[in-house]
Amino acid sequence: MSKLTINEIAKMANVAKSTVSKALNGQKGVSDEVRQKILSLVADVNYQPNATARALAQNKTGIIGFVLPHSASTSLAETYWIEVITAITEEVELKGNNLMVIAPSSNNEDPYESLRNIVLRHSVDGLIMGAENLNSEIMDLIQKSGIPFVFIGQNPLYPHFSIDVNNEEGAYLVTKEIIKHLGDNHKQICCITGPKEYIYTKNRINGFIKACDEENFSGYHIFSTDYSAENTQKTVVELLEVCPNPDAFFIAAGGDFFLSIMDILRLEGLNIKKQVLGVFDDARIFDYLDFSIISAKQPLQEIGQLAAKNLFDLMFDKQPEKQVQYLSVNIILR
Amino acid sequence: MSKLTINEIAKMANVAKSTVSKALNGQKGVSDEVRQKILSLVADVNYQPNATARALAQNKTGIIGFVLPHSASTSLAETYWIEVITAITEEVELKGNNLMVIAPSSNNEDPYESLRNIVLRHSVDGLIMGAENLNSEIMDLIQKSGIPFVFIGQNPLYPHFSIDVNNEEGAYLVTKEIIKHLGDNHKQICCITGPKEYIYTKNRINGFIKACDEENFSGYHIFSTDYSAENTQKTVVELLEVCPNPDAFFIAAGGDFFLSIMDILRLEGLNIKKQVLGVFDDARIFDYLDFSIISAKQPLQEIGQLAAKNLFDLMFDKQPEKQVQYLSVNIILR
DNA sequence: ATGAAAGCGCTAACAT
DNA sequence: ATGTTAGCGCTTTCAT
């Protein structure tokens, strides 16, 4: 109902609708007296200009799109992204915009069909995207569309403004702690990572190796997975053949990936409590695990907030200070 | 750039734009021949009609709003909502719509300012809302606006279409298990809940009491909190005065609430491992806690999916089958 | 079957 | 300072 339009407001105030528009948008060309009259009337009748009409006239939607990486069902299950979304939503709403969540669909020939349509239909003014596994078709489309965007994390094929954490340093610090915790007799650390193509995977591997080298620790093994449950299981089984008596693990990502690895290790009869464990991700509930764990806690809220801020900079033709902004991770010992 | 509009398409195809529109929308009044020509042209040039213009002409945005309960910073931190969002997003995108996330802001005099504006500006075609603590001002506005909406959970003041879980049965079953696990010498179960006004809190308390009664178990205590960290701490401290030697806990909600309670119990020197614990919520990582726990797992994906489906029913003037649709919870023993 | 034209509710350029 | 008017890119009557 509330069929109130700018026309009724104009009539009620005995002015032209352009005057109402100017008053509402804080533009000059309206006397203080008339402006006040309009503003108080608008407040009285609880009027807000129709978002769609304004969007069409101004050629901007007031909507920011947030694109999740991977398929929604697996990525959202991790706590990582939800904390990021929270921060982005708050920042976006603070700027008077709204957030649209875009989830690559899992059961679809084209996982980015939804994103593709959003771009083609000009449904959003800007995009914040998880940087990994975006295919070049969709990236080309986005670039051509001219829609401003920022990454969370980095994409090897598309260097662009992004917020990232200091993955190498984090992995380095966790590994140093692992080695410190290991007695002198222990000699086998297994590092399990996600896809090798991802920049953060490379960085974390580098940090891991750097720490091992620095400590003259040569008994390490590195295994990569594609994060799928099947491939992870297969990889861990192989790992246990190569390295039947590991002393420590550095698991280079958290969430379901970490849990899948734990499940398999337990299934294979490994006593997890005897392992020194490090993981790149943190969760409050780690306080109550029946094994101790060294974790790297990412500043998720800050990541989301800065991503949104940089996007707004871009939208207002202001270049963010740095191409890639690195945030520090916190090492948590338990 | 991609400045393609229906006008260029019309020119390229040598037809009127109204014909293009009809062809695109699958309406009759276009010969098969012309329709095919237009459709293949549109596919060639990768054209999609501008969402905003279409929204204005059709008086619908193609956007569904999802309103989180409480303040975003605390509610989103729990895994509960993110799984629900995933399911809703997929269902909404399946219907060719998009999802807008609306988070009540924490640091604001009016927590629902954002939602209020969205309603007044007609930014969404429908709303899915967490049912708890919506104030009557915002609910009145939504009702007046005529925007279709469904609840997840139930609101005592606004009986309306909603998806809920069988809270009483879940609490009952968890409590039965707790009592089963308790030896005959143990006599003290403490139940800690959220706000007493919430319908699900009442239901869970009822289920808890029903199980105790059935087992002729009279040594129980019930404590309510407002979910805030401070109030939860205060309540647990009081609890330990009333009941210094508890044997079991039924914690009627999960997420940060559950963890806060664990933190305080540990801080107060209680040996959690000796307690029988039940909680209304589940998490995969519970497999690795250093104490055993009985949990009620909610069908989060189904909740989100059904909420979206019922909303679409409502939007197409089709009443959902039931006012409140109850889903079963799964009891997980560990 | 096709096309011309009005209109959705705004904003912005242009008159006055 | 205020009002008139022309779009924004579609959909939808209404003629033809």
Side-chain angles (χ1 to χ4, degrees):
Chain A
M1 46 135 285
S2 191
K3 301 208 46 118
L4 273 201
T5 71
I6 198 173
N7 279 310
E8 353 267 7
I9 301 293
K11 262 174 223 154
M12 293 163 87
N14 279 315
V15 295
K17 62 177 177 179
S18 60
T19 305
V20 176
S21 177
K22 283 172 201 160
L24 244 36
N25 293 309
Q27 289 167 3
K28 45 185 283 185
V30 190
S31 68
D32 280 358
E33 186 195 9
V34 174
R35 187 185 299 274
Q36 282 317 315
K37 185 171 81 177
I38 293 174
L39 255 35
S40 75
L41 170 65
V42 157
D44 280 356
V45 299
N46 227 0
Y47 166 78
Q48 286 278 337
N50 180 295
T52 304
R54 168 178 274 189
L56 186 59
Q58 296 191 139
N59 193 30
K60 62 179 183 188
T61 60
I63 299 174
I64 304 299
F66 176 64
V67 184
L68 286 155
H70 317 295
S71 79
S73 42
T74 67
S75 62
L76 273 178
E78 307 185 24
T79 51
Y80 180 96
W81 288 109
I82 190 58
E83 293 203 38
V84 173
I85 290 182
T86 309
I88 294 178
T89 307
E90 294 207 339
E91 194 66 30
V92 163
E93 293 188 349
L94 219 56
K95 291 275 202 305
N97 290 35
N98 292 115
L99 190 76
M100 179 176 284
V101 173
I102 305 162
S105 73
S106 32
N107 47 359
N108 200 312
E109 69 281 2
D110 177 10
Y112 288 108
E113 184 189 359
S114 185
L115 174 56
R116 207 165 145 278
N117 286 337
I118 282 168
V119 170
L120 253 20
R121 292 173 184 157
H122 302 272
S123 296
V124 298
D125 294 338
L127 285 169
I128 299 173
M129 306 194 282
E132 286 80 38
N133 69 357
L134 290 157
N135 61 45
S136 57
E137 186 210 331
I138 192 71
M139 281 310 301
D140 288 350
L141 186 69
I142 291 170
Q143 307 248 33
K144 270 202 312 182
S145 78
I147 295 179
F149 67 98
V150 298
F151 282 135
I152 288 179
Q154 296 171 66
N155 189 299
L157 303 175
Y158 300 88
H160 190 69
F161 296 103
S162 74
I163 304 295
D164 206 348
V165 295
N166 204 321
N167 288 294
E168 180 168 332
E169 187 190 354
Y172 167 81
L173 292 172
V174 169
T175 309
K176 287 283 256 190
E177 283 296 331
I178 292 174
I179 295 174
K180 191 194 284 182
H181 281 237
L182 279 174
D184 287 336
N185 300 323
H186 302 293
K187 289 287 174 221
Q188 305 288 328
I189 308 183
C190 293
C191 169
I192 312 177
T193 78
K196 283 189 291 284
E197 316 85 69
Y198 293 0
I199 289 183
Y200 73 78
T201 301
K202 288 180 188 158
N203 293 152
R204 291 175 192 180
I205 289 176
N206 287 345
F208 172 74
I209 293 175
K210 186 179 164 202
C212 289
D213 285 353
E214 237 180 65
E215 301 285 335
N216 290 312
F217 194 104
S218 60
Y220 63 80
H221 309 268
I222 298 171
F223 302 86
S224 293
T225 75
D226 65 8
Y227 283 142
S228 74
E230 309 76 46
N231 182 252
T232 301
Q233 162 151 27
K234 191 169 136 272
T235 304
V236 174
V237 169
E238 284 170 15
L239 174 157
L240 288 173
E241 284 166 10
V242 173
C243 177
N245 295 302
D247 304 297
F249 284 88
F250 171 50
I251 298 174
D256 278 346
F257 177 62
F258 166 67
L259 287 168
S260 293
I261 292 172
M262 292 296 102
D263 286 351
I264 301 156
L265 290 179
R266 176 182 272 190
L267 201 70
E268 294 287 327
L270 201 82
N271 187 344
I272 298 174
K273 296 189 196 184
K274 293 201 176 142
Q275 300 292 316
V276 177
L277 276 177
V279 60
F280 207 105
D281 221 347
D282 186 65
R284 210 177 143 186
I285 202 169
F286 282 3
D287 281 347
Y288 297 95
L289 297 184
D290 70 351
F291 46 83
S292 71
I293 192 166
I294 299 153
S295 65
K297 180 175 186 163
Q298 306 188 48
L300 302 178
Q301 202 181 323
E302 209 180 343
I303 290 173
Q305 200 172 11
L306 285 174
K309 279 188 176 156
N310 281 1
L311 177 61
F312 283 117
D313 275 354
L314 231 43
M315 286 166 54
F316 297 136
D317 296 316
K318 224 172 64 187
Q319 298 266 326
E321 291 172 26
K322 301 170 185 168
Q323 170 105 350
V324 182
Q325 189 163 352
Y326 289 99
L327 305 178
S328 297
V329 302
N330 251 308
I331 309 304
I332 317 275
L333 307 176
R334 285 186 179 84
Chain B
M1 48 131 286
S2 191
K3 300 210 46 121
L4 274 203
T5 71
I6 198 173
N7 278 310
E8 353 266 6
I9 301 294
K11 261 173 224 156
M12 293 163 87
N14 279 317
V15 295
K17 62 177 177 179
S18 58
T19 305
V20 176
S21 177
K22 284 170 199 158
L24 243 38
N25 293 309
Q27 288 167 3
K28 45 185 282 188
V30 190
S31 69
D32 280 358
E33 186 195 7
V34 174
R35 185 184 300 273
Q36 282 316 315
K37 187 172 79 177
I38 293 173
L39 255 34
S40 74
L41 169 64
V42 157
D44 280 356
V45 299
N46 225 3
Y47 166 78
Q48 287 277 337
N50 179 295
T52 304
R54 170 177 274 189
L56 186 60
Q58 295 190 139
N59 193 30
K60 61 180 183 187
T61 62
I63 299 174
I64 303 300
F66 175 64
V67 184
L68 286 155
H70 316 294
S71 81
S73 41
T74 67
S75 61
L76 274 178
E78 306 185 24
T79 51
Y80 181 97
W81 289 108
I82 189 60
E83 293 203 39
V84 173
I85 291 181
T86 310
I88 294 178
T89 306
E90 294 207 339
E91 194 66 30
V92 163
E93 292 188 349
L94 218 59
K95 291 275 201 308
N97 290 33
N98 292 114
L99 189 76
M100 179 175 285
V101 173
I102 305 162
S105 72
S106 33
N107 46 359
N108 200 313
E109 69 282 359
D110 178 10
Y112 287 108
E113 184 188 359
S114 184
L115 173 57
R116 208 166 145 276
N117 286 336
I118 283 169
V119 171
L120 253 18
R121 292 174 184 157
H122 303 272
S123 295
V124 298
D125 294 339
L127 286 168
I128 300 174
M129 307 193 280
E132 286 81 36
N133 69 358
L134 291 157
N135 61 46
S136 58
E137 186 210 330
I138 192 70
M139 282 309 302
D140 288 351
L141 186 69
I142 292 170
Q143 306 248 34
K144 270 201 315 181
S145 79
I147 296 179
F149 67 96
V150 298
F151 282 134
I152 289 180
Q154 297 171 66
N155 189 299
L157 303 175
Y158 300 87
H160 190 71
F161 296 104
S162 75
I163 305 294
D164 206 347
V165 296
N166 205 321
N167 289 295
E168 180 167 334
E169 187 189 355
Y172 167 82
L173 292 171
V174 169
T175 309
K176 287 283 257 192
E177 283 297 333
I178 291 174
I179 296 173
K180 193 195 284 180
H181 281 238
L182 280 175
D184 287 336
N185 300 325
H186 301 292
K187 290 286 175 224
Q188 304 289 326
I189 307 182
C190 293
C191 169
I192 312 177
T193 77
K196 283 189 291 282
E197 316 85 69
Y198 292 0
I199 289 184
Y200 74 78
T201 300
K202 288 180 188 157
N203 293 153
R204 290 175 192 179
I205 290 176
N206 287 345
F208 172 74
I209 293 176
K210 186 179 164 202
C212 289
D213 286 352
E214 236 180 68
E215 301 286 336
N216 289 312
F217 194 103
S218 59
Y220 62 80
H221 309 269
I222 298 171
F223 302 86
S224 294
T225 75
D226 64 8
Y227 283 143
S228 74
E230 308 75 46
N231 181 251
T232 301
Q233 161 151 25
K234 190 169 136 272
T235 305
V236 174
V237 169
E238 284 169 15
L239 174 156
L240 289 173
E241 283 166 11
V242 174
C243 177
N245 295 301
D247 303 295
F249 284 89
F250 172 49
I251 297 173
D256 278 346
F257 177 63
F258 166 67
L259 287 168
S260 293
I261 292 172
M262 291 297 103
D263 286 352
I264 302 158
L265 290 179
R266 177 182 271 189
L267 200 69
E268 295 286 325
L270 202 83
N271 188 344
I272 299 175
K273 296 188 194 182
K274 293 202 175 143
Q275 300 292 315
V276 177
L277 276 178
V279 60
F280 207 105
D281 219 346
D282 186 65
R284 212 177 142 187
I285 203 169
F286 283 1
D287 282 348
Y288 297 95
L289 297 185
D290 71 349
F291 46 82
S292 72
I293 192 166
I294 298 153
S295 65
K297 180 176 186 163
Q298 307 188 49
L300 303 179
Q301 201 180 325
E302 208 179 343
I303 290 172
Q305 200 171 13
L306 286 174
K309 279 188 175 157
N310 281 2
L311 177 61
F312 283 117
D313 276 354
L314 230 43
M315 285 167 54
F316 297 136
D317 296 317
K318 225 171 63 188
Q319 298 266 325
E321 291 171 26
K322 302 170 186 167
Q323 170 105 350
V324 182
Q325 190 162 351
Y326 289 98
L327 304 178
S328 297
V329 301
N330 252 308
I331 309 304
I332 316 276
L333 306 177
R334 286 189 178 84

